[in-house]
Amino acid sequence: MSRPLVRLEGLTTWFPIKRGLFQRTTGWVRAVDGIDLTIPVGQTVALVGESGCGKSTVALSMLRLVEPRSGAMYYDGVDLFSLSRDRLHAYRQEIQIIFQDPMGSLDPRMRIRDVIAEGMEAFGIGENDAERTERVAAILRRVQLDPDQMNRYPHEFSGGQRQRICIARALAVEPKLVICDEATSALDVSIQAQILNLLRDLQDDLGLAYLFITHDLGVVRYLADRVAVMYLGQIVEEGETERIFDAPNHPYTRGLLAAVPSVDPARRGVTASVMGDVPSPANPPPGCRFHTRCPEVFERCSREAPELYAVGDGRSRCFLNESSSRS
């Protein structure tokens, strides 16, 4: 593995539940509940799981668009969670995000040139407007768009083109880490493939690291170097992509993979082994959080919470892997 660019330690983000006339806090939604995750330089880490498991909250917490309750985020050795807003500004250009809905994340009143140049102005990139315009043109070419279109508005572009504009906006400030939050899930399959190829080419050319948040395991296998599987605010398994797909250790990971359609005759007709609905993050089950849906549950699971046991190239939060961790 390359050296760590970002390391999350114990990231916890809860949201208050307020009720009554005086909006008193009566409980907490444990959206992210103690995440440890490392993103190496120049590599892609995929964060996967069902809707509502806390994936996007991880991204917003990393950017401090929502404030974490506790934990640390080390970027090149500096804990960004401990910095004041003023001191954090110097690091904001290093970490950028691409959202799922490109139209919703672009100001419809701004021309594309201004959308892309806005970050350059905020971080003092470029000597003047003319130089920034030249940089915008170069970035548009890099994401395979015509620089002559920079004076158009977002509604004049297709969905795939708008996502390329969002990628260009992220690249404009020369980041080292790009968080892709379901960045291809709203696109047609053919357009999705083009965007994934573009992201991979940009990574090769610029040495970018990606945190790729998605529920699409097909995308994960194509793009990611490592995978972290999230369930109810916690990481339940993490490891190299090929191993996760070929020999998953956690029952939840096996259930997710069993639900993916396959043309392999050996897998055809396999159904998901994950039962029931996801419990509320405001009231997670005691013991192992997955035990209420696990096909391999046993008595201990409802009483004790498993650790993230070291297994091979990664970790697994399951008692079934406890003995492997010790061997």
Side-chain angles (χ1 to χ4, degrees):
M1 186 188 295
S2 302
R3 70 176 178 85
L5 177 65
V6 170
R7 192 173 79 253
L8 298 177
E9 293 185 358
L11 170 60
T12 300
T13 304
W14 294 3
F15 298 106
I17 301 171
K18 296 182 179 293
R19 292 194 175 95
L21 180 63
F22 297 103
Q23 290 293 285
R24 291 190 175 93
T25 298
T26 59
W28 297 89
V29 175
R30 301 180 182 188
V32 179
D33 205 14
I35 293 292
D36 295 334
L37 186 66
T38 297
I39 305 171
V41 171
Q43 292 192 13
T44 300
V45 174
L47 187 60
V48 304
E50 295 168 287
S51 296
C53 71
K55 304 186 301 295
S56 292
T57 304
V58 171
L60 297 177
S61 301
M62 289 174 66
L63 294 164
R64 285 180 60 182
L65 297 176
V66 298
E67 284 295 333
R69 179 185 177 95
S70 62
M73 174 179 165
Y74 294 100
Y75 176 84
D76 269 350
V78 178
D79 180 9
L80 300 192
F81 290 169
S82 68
L83 301 183
S84 67
R85 290 283 176 176
D86 289 341
R87 292 183 61 201
L88 184 64
H89 178 78
Y91 291 92
R92 285 203 179 276
Q93 79 177 89
E94 306 282 340
I95 304 173
Q96 292 293 302
I97 188 167
I98 303 167
F99 291 103
Q100 176 178 353
D101 177 15
M103 192 61 185
S105 60
L106 295 172
D107 189 333
R109 299 164 300 178
M110 294 178 67
R111 298 180 189 273
I112 298 309
R113 183 267 174 207
D114 299 324
V115 166
I116 298 172
E118 186 177 29
M120 297 184 199
E121 295 170 5
F123 292 107
I125 298 173
E127 294 293 327
N128 50 48
D129 282 350
E131 183 175 326
R132 283 190 281 271
T133 298
E134 289 182 13
R135 292 175 65 91
V136 169
I139 293 167
L140 286 173
R141 281 190 289 267
R142 186 177 282 275
V143 299
Q144 299 164 15
L145 289 175
D146 186 349
D148 291 340
Q149 298 176 319
M150 73 171 68
N151 289 318
R152 295 185 180 181
Y153 291 93
H155 72 270
E156 299 180 74
F157 294 86
S158 67
Q161 289 174 322
R162 284 194 289 267
Q163 199 59 293
R164 290 174 188 270
I165 293 166
C166 292
I167 294 171
R169 177 176 60 184
L171 294 180
V173 296
E174 301 175 348
K176 294 180 181 177
L177 170 66
V178 178
I179 301 172
C180 302
D181 188 3
E182 299 281 7
T184 61
S185 62
L187 305 174
D188 293 339
V189 173
S190 61
I191 304 300
Q192 184 180 95
Q194 294 173 20
I195 297 297
L196 291 174
N197 287 332
L198 174 62
L199 290 172
R200 175 172 275 186
D201 290 344
L202 291 170
Q203 184 174 52
D204 291 340
D205 293 344
L206 303 175
L208 297 171
Y210 293 133
L211 176 62
F212 204 91
I213 297 170
T214 183
H215 62 274
D216 188 335
L217 293 175
V219 168
V220 170
R221 190 158 202 175
Y222 175 75
L223 195 65
D225 298 291
R226 294 184 68 83
V227 180
V229 182
M230 197 168 174
Y231 181 78
L232 211 59
Q234 297 181 333
I235 289 177
V236 296
E237 183 165 7
E238 185 259 336
E240 294 181 0
T241 301
E242 286 306 310
R243 201 273 302 156
I244 290 285
F245 277 82
D246 294 340
N249 288 309
H250 198 281
Y252 179 61
T253 309
R254 289 196 283 271
L256 290 180
L257 292 171
V260 177
S262 175
V263 296
D264 183 351
R267 289 179 54 85
R268 197 175 298 153
V270 174
T271 56
S273 57
V274 177
M275 306 176 291
D277 297 322
V278 181
S280 169
N283 187 27
C288 173
R289 294 188 178 183
F290 186 57
H291 84 264
T292 58
R293 305 175 69 198
C294 182
E296 303 176 59
V297 66
F298 51 96
E299 193 272 336
R300 182 185 181 188
C301 303
S302 62
R303 294 184 289 104
E304 298 179 42
E307 305 170 13
L308 262 176
Y309 300 109
V311 182
D313 63 27
R315 304 172 294 167
S316 176
R317 194 183 295 275
C318 182
F319 291 124
L320 296 173
N321 303 123
E322 185 177 17
S323 58
S324 300
S325 174
R326 292 171 179 168
S327 59

